[in-house]
């Protein structure tokens, strides 16, 4: 961050330069990442008191902190233009006129100064007050000239325990607003604030219920500008203990994300109504630049985690030998699988993971995305370090979850279908045929990747993300329709998202966001459906995986599960072995139930909105909104699907009925 004078700041603003700077020995901070009609101010955030005043100051740090508005800078941290007051309001109050900004002796019925400030001391404080408003005027002048109108969110917080009546979480003050002119914007902001959800807090927003917005910032802007709306808002200190000053990080994190949405949606509404940008959306309000803090964190995260790929460690290294042994021994001696050794120190890994500087990321949504990824990776390392032990199944449940009664009912519904009505051709193609076809399809779609046979995978086909490599099980056989389906599944989604992820400056989309297995497998099955290649047989295979996971959790015995599946569903021995191996590898792997639930969930999302932005990389539905926002802001390259992913019914009415009956 730069250290600039007021004059230097104004010169840069007039040239429309972007910069971050401390001004007047750090009395306030100005951050400009992009020039938009939106300005956010947290003028009472600060706690500083210059040293020459300390001997005369009578309040304790705790008393001072109590009346200040700590953490309000974090509530506006996502926005491209910020002004943050660092000095305590007890030195000079930016929300009072300059001559009234320094308290003579008392404030809030407490004596502040042992003796009144001297004229010289007051003059220094007043100069800092004037400097702040000179810079604010410069910003608003440039914005009004460029956009015609501007909007300022003036953010404060308030102590509520001393107020006997029930008070709102957010209070908008309209006492100095031309409601006839700007009233619809006030209403929009109140509606957006009411959408915020905080943990264990009943939330509501109101206008003029406790405070009426009679502060100086709005007065000053009203006196100098005709086309700028100031929205003063007071936030109840539910994000901290107002008495002790202890912050509640989880509440503050959700509040930051909620404020980002509420302010950006309101600002977009304002721009559509009062500027020339009539098609403005929320993402247009936010900066299109990826901050250096995000790039640095992403680089460190990728360096730490790039080799932590679950399937590289979970697939047995002696699979072929154990399969042969199992099938030759009449299938009554459970296979004894061996696994690749984990080449990292899990304790050091977790320590380094949680040392990553997520707090340095100002954007609330992007910060939450990285927090989700870090928590997810911590669970993933627990999973990997317990492969082959009794703890693995617990960690698998923690990481992937387990099928619920609805998931099992969906699977049973599909498995009750009479497959004889949906007969497919008997002709089969081997692994070499598959490789030739996949290479042709990859070339047709412009996918630069490698395709090889493998004896080390359980599935028929699998994408290695790190190497952009499609592996084909050397013993796999495919029908022609299966080949088409696998092309859309493995190449059209898994390989496409692998390649897309490598195009972005942020590598987190190669590592994978939380829930990426559920989402990516769901999209992959959805692609089979969209392309007309999803079959009843394929759906039944996916449904069998759900039942296999259920039996694995109930039986805890490979042989028992294998025979239960064989007897109940009259399966081929090799297919039953693969199905059972998939859910017992590692010691009890629950991932396989996610294919069907992922398909259902992606299908439901696709009925409501485009899912194309999920193709930027290994994304998950949990962070879909943030990912879409990043695409719309130009931070990520907009992905192009290889086929139409919009929901529409197919020509197969029976299949459509079955798919839409999945609950």
């Amino acid at each position: 961050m730069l250290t600039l004078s007021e004059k230097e700041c104004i010169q840069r603003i007039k040239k429309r330069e972007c910069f971050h700077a401390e001004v007047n020995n750090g009395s306030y901070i100005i951050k400009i990442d992009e020039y938009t009609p939106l300005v956010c101010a947290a003028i009472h955030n600060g706690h500083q008191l210059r040293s020459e005043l300390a001997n005369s100051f009578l309040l304790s740090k705790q008393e001072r902190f109590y009346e200040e508005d700590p953490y309000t800078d974090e509530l506006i941290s996502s926005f491209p233009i910020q002004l943050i007051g660092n000095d305590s309001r007890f030195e000079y109050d930016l929300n009072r006129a300059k001559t009234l900004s320094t308290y003579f002796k008392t404030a809030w019925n407490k004596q502040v100064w042992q003796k009144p400030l001297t004229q010289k001391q007051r003059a220094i404080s007043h100069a800092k007050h004037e400097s702040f408003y000179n810079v604010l005027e410069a910003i608003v002048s440039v914005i009004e000239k460029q956009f015609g109108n501007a909007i300022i969110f003036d953010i404060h917080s308030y102590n509520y325990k001393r107020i006997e009546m029930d008070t709102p979480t957010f209070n908008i003050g309209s006492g100095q607003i031309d409601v006839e002119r700007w009233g619809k914007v006030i209403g929009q902001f109140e509606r957006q604030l009411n959408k915020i959800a905080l943990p264990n807090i009943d939330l509501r927003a109101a206008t003029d219920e406790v405070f009426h917005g009679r502060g100086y910032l709005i007065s000053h802007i009203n006196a100098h500008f005709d086309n700028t709306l100031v929205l003063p808002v007071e936030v109840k200190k539910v994000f901290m203990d107002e008495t002790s000053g202890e912050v509640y990080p989880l509440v503050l994190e959700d509040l930051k994300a909620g404020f980002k949405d509420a302010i950006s949606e309101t600002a977009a509404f304002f721009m559509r109504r009062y500027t020339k940008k009539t098609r403005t959306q929320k993402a247009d309000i936010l900066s299109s630049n990826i901050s250096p803090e995000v790039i640095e964190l992403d680089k460190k995260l990728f360096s730490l985690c790039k080799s932590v790929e679950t399937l590289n460690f979970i697939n047995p290294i002696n699979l072929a030998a154990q399969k042969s042994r199992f099938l030759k021994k009449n299938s009554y001696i459970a296979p004894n699988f061996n696994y690749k050794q984990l080449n990292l120190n899990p304790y050091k890994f977790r320590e380094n993971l949680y040392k990553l500087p997520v707090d340095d990321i100002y954007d609330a949504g992007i910060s939450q995305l990285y927090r989700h990824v870090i928590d997810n990776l911590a669970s993933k390392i627990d999973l990997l370090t317990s492969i082959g032990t009794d703890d693995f199944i617990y960690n698998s449940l923690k990481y992937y979850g387990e099928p619920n009664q609805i998931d099992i009912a969906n699977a049973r519904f599909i498995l009750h279908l009479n497959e004889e009505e949906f007969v497919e051709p008997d002709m089969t193609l081997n692994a070499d045929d598959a490789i030739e076809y996949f290479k042709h399809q990859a070339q047709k779609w412009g996918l630069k990747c490698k395709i090889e046979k493998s004896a080390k995978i359980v599935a028929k086909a699998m994408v290695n993300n790190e190497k952009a490599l499609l592996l084909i099980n050397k013993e796999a056989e495919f029908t022609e329709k299966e080949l088409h389906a696998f092309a859309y599944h493995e190449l059209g989604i898994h390989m496409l998202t692998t390649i897309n992820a490598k195009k972005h400056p942020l590598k987190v989309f190669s590592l994978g966001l939380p829930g990426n297995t559920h989402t990516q497998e769901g999209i992959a099955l959805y692609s089979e459906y969209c392309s007309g290649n999803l079959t009843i047989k394929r759906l039944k295979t996916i449904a069998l995986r759900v039942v296999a996971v259920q039996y694995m959790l109930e039986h805890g015995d490979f042989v028992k599960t294998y025979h239960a599946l064989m007897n109940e569903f009259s399966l081929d021995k090799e297919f039953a072995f693969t199905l059972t191996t998939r859910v017992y590898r590692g010691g009890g792997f629950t991932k396989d139930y996610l294919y069907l639930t992922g398909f259902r969930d992606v299908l439901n999302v696709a009925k409501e909105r485009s899912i194309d932005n999920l193709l930027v990389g290994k994304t998950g539905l949990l962070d879909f909104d943030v990912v879409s926002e990043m695409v719309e802001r130009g931070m990520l390259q907009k992905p192009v699907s290889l086929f139409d992913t919009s929901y529409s019914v197919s020509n197969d009415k029976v299949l459509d009925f079955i798919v839409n009956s999945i609950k």
Side-chain angles (χ1 to χ4, degrees):
M1 186 178 293
L2 301 172
T3 300
L4 299 177
S5 67
E6 170 200 327
K7 183 179 179 181
E8 289 171 325
C9 286
I10 292 173
Q11 287 174 342
R12 287 171 180 257
I13 291 165
K14 286 180 177 178
K15 294 177 183 176
R16 297 187 69 255
E17 293 180 11
C18 297
F19 63 98
H20 289 195
E22 287 186 329
V23 191
N24 286 350
N25 297 317
S27 62
Y28 60 92
I29 289 173
I30 176 171
K31 296 180 180 180
I32 302 179
D33 291 324
E34 202 166 299
Y35 284 85
T36 73
L38 165 64
V39 178
C40 290
I43 61 176
H44 286 158
N45 180 76
H47 194 58
Q48 291 180 175
L49 191 67
R50 68 180 193 268
S51 57
E52 66 171 293
L53 303 179
N55 291 336
S56 182
F57 192 70
L58 296 176
L59 300 182
S60 67
K61 285 187 177 181
Q62 187 171 330
E63 287 175 307
R64 191 165 96 222
F65 200 64
Y66 179 77
E67 296 296 353
E68 292 160 349
D69 298 349
Y71 308 108
T72 48
D73 63 330
E74 297 202 35
L75 301 185
I76 63 171
S77 63
S78 302
F79 298 100
I81 304 179
Q82 303 169 36
L83 278 166
I84 300 163
N86 284 339
D87 287 337
S88 172
R89 67 193 302 181
F90 287 103
E91 180 186 338
Y92 60 96
D93 193 331
L94 286 167
N95 218 23
R96 292 160 63 100
K98 182 174 72 172
T99 190
L100 300 173
S101 65
T102 50
Y103 297 101
F104 183 68
K105 268 195 176 183
T106 62
W108 291 283
N109 298 317
K110 290 183 179 181
Q111 187 172 346
V112 178
W113 305 108
Q114 192 171 23
K115 57 182 180 180
L117 299 181
T118 66
Q119 193 63 33
K120 183 179 179 181
Q121 288 171 329
R122 291 181 73 231
I124 294 171
S125 295
H126 289 172
K128 291 198 280 185
H129 182 286
E130 186 174 352
S131 171
F132 177 90
Y133 280 100
N134 287 343
V135 169
L136 177 58
E137 283 183 35
I139 293 171
V140 177
S141 295
V142 166
I143 291 173
E144 278 201 1
K145 185 176 180 180
Q146 181 178 350
F147 297 99
N149 294 80
I151 184 169
I152 300 174
F153 289 84
D154 179 19
I155 309 301
H156 301 265
S157 62
Y158 76 95
N159 300 311
Y160 62 93
K161 292 180 181 177
R162 59 189 173 191
I163 305 174
E164 292 184 1
M165 66 178 187
D166 175 52
T167 55
T169 318
F170 309 107
N171 184 100
I172 304 167
S174 70
Q176 297 188 78
I177 297 175
D178 183 348
V179 175
E180 188 173 346
R181 182 183 182 189
W182 307 111
K184 291 185 185 300
V185 184
I186 299 170
Q188 171 74 355
F189 189 35
E190 186 176 320
R191 285 190 294 275
Q192 294 299 326
L193 289 172
N194 272 310
K195 292 180 180 179
I196 296 174
L198 300 177
N200 304 311
I201 293 172
D202 293 327
L203 178 152
R204 69 183 180 90
T207 301
D208 296 332
E209 192 168 308
V210 181
F211 303 94
H212 297 270
R214 302 197 187 281
Y216 179 70
L217 190 147
I218 184 172
S219 299
H220 185 92
I221 294 298
N222 285 347
H224 291 81
F225 299 94
D226 188 46
N227 295 315
T228 295
L229 166 63
V230 178
L231 284 175
V233 59
E234 295 274 355
V235 182
K236 197 174 185 177
K237 288 185 177 177
V238 293
F239 54 87
M240 63 183 289
D241 184 320
E242 66 181 52
T243 305
S244 70
E246 179 185 13
V247 69
Y248 306 139
L250 297 180
V251 179
L252 184 60
E253 184 181 338
D254 285 351
L255 187 57
K256 285 166 60 177
F259 245 66
K260 175 185 172 182
D261 289 338
I263 289 178
S264 54
E265 290 285 6
T266 304
F269 176 84
F270 173 85
M271 288 178 69
R272 290 194 297 270
R273 293 184 68 89
Y274 299 103
T275 72
K276 296 175 183 178
K277 294 195 169 187
T278 55
R279 296 186 178 181
T280 302
Q281 300 301 317
K282 168 187 163 184
D284 300 323
I285 298 298
L286 304 165
S287 175
S288 58
N289 299 318
I290 302 174
S291 73
E293 293 82 6
V294 174
I295 292 172
E296 182 63 21
L297 170 67
D298 185 83
K299 182 179 177 182
K300 289 178 179 177
L301 179 66
F302 185 71
S303 176
L304 180 63
C305 306
K306 62 185 177 183
S307 299
V308 184
E309 175 58 52
T310 306
L311 295 181
N312 289 345
F313 298 97
I314 200 72
N315 284 321
I317 58 177
N318 61 340
L319 176 62
Q322 289 300 304
K323 177 181 177 182
S324 175
R325 173 178 170 272
F326 181 81
L327 295 177
K328 285 179 180 178
K329 296 287 185 180
N330 297 320
S331 310
Y332 282 101
I333 299 176
N336 183 21
F337 293 129
N338 297 326
Y339 303 95
K340 182 179 177 180
Q341 293 295 333
L342 194 65
N343 56 349
L344 57 84
N345 182 327
Y347 309 104
K348 195 70 177 174
F349 179 86
R350 288 190 204 91
E351 180 185 349
N352 290 333
L353 198 59
Y354 282 111
K355 279 183 178 178
L356 292 170
V358 187
D359 289 339
D360 291 349
I361 298 177
Y362 298 120
D363 187 288
I366 297 174
S367 173
Q368 279 194 329
L369 182 148
Y370 277 94
R371 288 185 193 279
H372 292 161
V373 170
I374 287 168
D375 285 340
N376 191 60
L377 285 165
S379 295
K380 188 175 189 176
I381 207 66
D382 288 341
L383 181 74
L384 295 180
T385 55
S386 60
I387 289 174
T389 72
D390 292 340
D391 290 335
F392 181 82
I393 191 168
Y394 165 78
N395 288 318
S396 181
L397 289 166
K398 179 180 169 185
Y399 190 75
Y400 293 111
E402 64 180 305
N404 59 30
Q405 292 303 312
I406 294 175
D407 299 328
I408 294 167
N410 285 331
R412 291 286 179 182
F413 161 72
I414 292 168
L415 290 167
H416 277 110
L417 296 171
N418 185 355
E419 199 172 340
E420 292 179 2
E421 297 178 17
F422 314 102
V423 178
E424 292 187 27
D426 292 329
M427 185 182 74
T428 57
L429 302 165
N430 62 26
D432 291 321
D433 298 324
I435 287 175
E436 185 178 344
Y437 171 75
F438 289 140
K439 284 182 176 178
H440 170 76
Q441 194 63 44
Q443 186 177 20
K444 179 180 176 182
W445 279 336
L447 299 174
K448 294 181 180 180
C449 60
K450 294 180 287 185
I451 302 171
E452 298 174 0
K453 279 193 294 188
S454 173
K456 297 179 180 179
I457 62 173
V458 178
K460 283 189 174 184
M462 185 190 89
V463 169
N464 181 308
N465 296 319
E466 190 178 348
K467 299 178 180 178
L469 168 66
L470 175 60
L471 296 170
I472 307 300
N473 190 318
K474 72 171 191 175
E475 296 183 357
E477 293 183 338
F478 304 84
T479 66
E480 190 172 348
K481 186 126 186 177
E482 269 186 312
L483 270 187
H484 295 318
F486 270 83
Y488 278 88
H489 187 112
E490 300 293 344
L491 290 174
I493 298 299
H494 293 327
M495 188 60 75
L496 175 67
T497 53
T498 292
I499 292 170
N500 282 348
K502 295 179 185 297
K503 296 177 181 177
H504 308 305
L506 299 179
K507 303 303 180 186
V508 70
F509 297 100
S510 290
L511 292 177
L513 305 187
N516 72 86
T517 299
H518 163 269
T519 304
Q520 296 300 298
E521 297 300 352
I523 303 172
L525 279 167
Y526 179 71
S527 75
E528 296 182 37
Y529 178 59
C530 288
S531 63
N533 290 298
L534 185 65
T535 63
I536 301 300
K537 181 180 179 181
R538 172 71 164 152
L539 272 178
K540 292 185 83 170
T541 298
I542 299 304
L544 280 168
R545 292 179 184 175
V546 179
V547 175
V549 171
Q550 178 196 9
Y551 282 178
M552 180 271 291
L553 293 171
E554 289 176 358
H555 301 155
D557 183 288
F558 187 103
V559 173
K560 191 173 182 180
T561 296
Y562 169 84
H563 285 288
L565 292 169
M566 283 278 293
N567 295 335
E568 184 173 359
F569 302 106
S570 302
L571 303 179
D572 171 81
K573 287 184 179 182
E574 292 206 3
F575 178 69
F577 176 83
T578 298
L579 193 64
T580 309
T581 298
R582 288 178 66 99
V583 299
Y584 274 93
R585 54 186 163 164
F589 200 38
T590 60
K591 170 196 165 191
D592 269 7
Y593 86 95
L594 291 173
Y595 287 74
L596 187 57
T597 61
F599 177 45
R600 173 201 63 199
D601 294 342
V602 167
L603 182 72
N604 289 336
V605 171
K607 290 177 181 178
E608 302 293 329
R609 62 192 285 195
S610 169
I611 63 168
D612 283 356
N613 286 339
L614 289 170
L615 302 177
V616 299
K618 305 305 177 181
T619 59
L621 290 176
L622 173 66
D623 295 293
F624 188 16
D625 288 340
V626 177
V627 170
S628 292
E629 178 197 295
M630 292 173 75
V631 171
E632 289 156 15
R633 288 166 69 177
M635 292 177 157
L636 304 175
Q637 185 175 322
K638 188 167 182 62
V640 178
S641 175
L642 300 174
F643 43 86
D644 185 6
T645 58
S646 56
Y647 174 76
S648 62
V649 294
S650 70
N651 295 324
D652 189 335
K653 292 183 179 179
V654 175
L655 181 63
D656 287 338
F657 172 77
I658 293 166
V659 165
N660 286 286
S661 296
I662 300 172
K663 298 178 181 177

